């Protein structure tokens, strides 16, 4: 495999599709065992998790519903200057076991906002399932139940993840070159 140029950045092969699919299957099997009696609802966080979510769902062996949510950024005043609102959740999750499907957890702040929002809707429990985790970057205390792969701090694309909306369709995962 060769390097790939997207706009101003160069990316090199990092995780091959074969390994990704193996890890996704493993996570799906874990979830199927753990949540067999729980009638879970999966919430896929768009856009980045769409490919992970579809492969994960097809590997689950238990009845599973899925719904798709998205963050809309809006300007407002907060300590960080960034505000995010969750949109698209039309399903009632009260009393349900919810599994959040994310593409990548970096600082964990996005997931923290999401959990706070979901908690206001009175679910029975919330489990986090992420394709990728950057453990060295994690800033908040999160209980992450399912992690397909742990990676260093590199910026990555592929398998649903983008750089400026490009690269999502790459079957393998690529890491940016020379930016560590
Ligand atoms: P956090 O709030 O955990 O710092 O960031 C989570 C979000 O940042 C992810 O859902 C993703 O949109 C974006 N992100 C973090 N790291 C990467 C990366 O290496 N590649 C891409 N494409 N997006 C990333």
């Amino acid at each position: 495999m060769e390097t790939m140029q997207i706009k101003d950045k160069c990316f090199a092969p990092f995780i091959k599709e074969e390994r990704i699919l193996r890890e996704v299957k493993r996570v799906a099997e874990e979830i199927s065992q753990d949540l067999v009696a729980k009638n879970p609802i999966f919430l896929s966080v768009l856009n980045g998790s769409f490919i992970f979510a579809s492969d994960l769902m097809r590997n689950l062996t238990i009845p599973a519903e899925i719904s798709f949510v998205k963050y809309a950024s809006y300007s407002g005043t907060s300590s960080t200057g960034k505000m995010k609102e969750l949109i698209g959740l039309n399903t009632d999750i009260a009393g349900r076991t919810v599994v959040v499907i994310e593409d990548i957890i970096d600082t964990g702040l996005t997931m923290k906002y999401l959990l706070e929002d979901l908690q206001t809707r009175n679910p029975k429990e919330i489990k986090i399932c992420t394709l990728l985790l950057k453990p060295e970057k994690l800033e908040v205390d999160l209980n992450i139940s399912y992690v397909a792969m742990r990676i260093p701090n590199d910026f990555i694309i592929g398998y649903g993840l983008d750089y400026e909306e490009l690269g999502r369709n790459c079957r393998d995962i690529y890491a940016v070159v020379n930016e560590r």
Side-chain angles (χ1 to χ4, degrees), residues 35-46:
L35 306 184
V36 61
K38 297 208 167 181
N39 185 28
I41 174 148
F42 290 78
L43 292 187
S44 164
V45 183
L46 297 174

Side-chain angles (χ1 to χ4, degrees), residues 63-108:
E65 294 169 42
I66 188 164
S67 193
F68 297 87
V69 295
K70 190 165 180 150
Y71 286 109
S73 297
Y74 63 99
S75 51
T77 48
S78 75
S79 53
T80 62
K82 276 191 202 164
M83 307 276 279
K84 288 178 176 179
E85 183 194 5
L86 192 69
I87 57 170
L89 182 55
N90 304 317
T91 316
D92 183 10
I93 61 165
R96 302 287 304 270
T97 293
V98 175
V99 183
V100 177
I101 305 176
E102 254 293 16
D103 53 355
I104 186 163
I105 297 179
D106 188 17
T107 62

Side-chain angles (χ1 to χ4, degrees), residues 6-150:
I6 299 182
K7 298 195 175 172
D8 60 326
K9 293 199 192 311
C10 181
F11 293 87
F14 188 52
I15 308 173
K16 294 202 68 158
E17 181 185 29
E18 190 186 2
R19 177 169 171 223
I20 302 169
L21 297 181
R22 201 168 57 236
E23 301 293 355
V24 172
K25 189 162 189 286
R26 173 186 57 76
V27 167
E29 285 167 359
E30 274 178 47
I31 293 175
S32 299
Q33 280 182 9
D34 293 352
L35 306 184
V36 61
K38 297 208 167 181
N39 185 28
I41 174 148
F42 290 78
L43 292 187
S44 164
V45 183
L46 297 174
N47 294 332
S49 77
F50 77 111
I51 291 179
F52 175 41
S54 64
D55 282 340
L56 187 76
M57 290 299 282
R58 284 181 292 185
N59 278 284
L60 292 172
T61 55
I62 56 173
E65 294 169 42
I66 188 164
S67 193
F68 297 87
V69 295
K70 190 165 180 150
Y71 286 109
S73 297
Y74 63 99
S75 51
T77 48
S78 75
S79 53
T80 62
K82 276 191 202 164
M83 307 276 279
K84 288 178 176 179
E85 183 194 5
L86 192 69
I87 57 170
L89 182 55
N90 304 317
T91 316
D92 183 10
I93 61 165
R96 302 287 304 270
T97 293
V98 175
V99 183
V100 177
I101 305 176
E102 254 293 16
D103 53 355
I104 186 163
I105 297 179
D106 188 17
T107 62
L109 289 168
T110 308
M111 183 56 75
K112 188 167 166 273
Y113 285 128
L114 175 55
L115 293 182
E116 281 167 8
D117 186 309
L118 293 178
Q119 288 294 1
T120 66
R121 301 164 198 249
N122 301 316
K124 181 175 168 204
E125 60 182 339
I126 304 174
K127 307 251 181 211
I128 301 172
C129 173
T130 187
L131 174 70
L132 297 160
L133 172 67
K134 295 181 185 171
E136 295 163 30
K137 293 276 294 281
L138 205 54
E139 287 177 18
V140 291
D141 195 19
L142 287 177
N143 184 3
I144 307 172
S145 302
Y146 306 103
V147 180
M149 292 167 288
R150 288 172 172 77

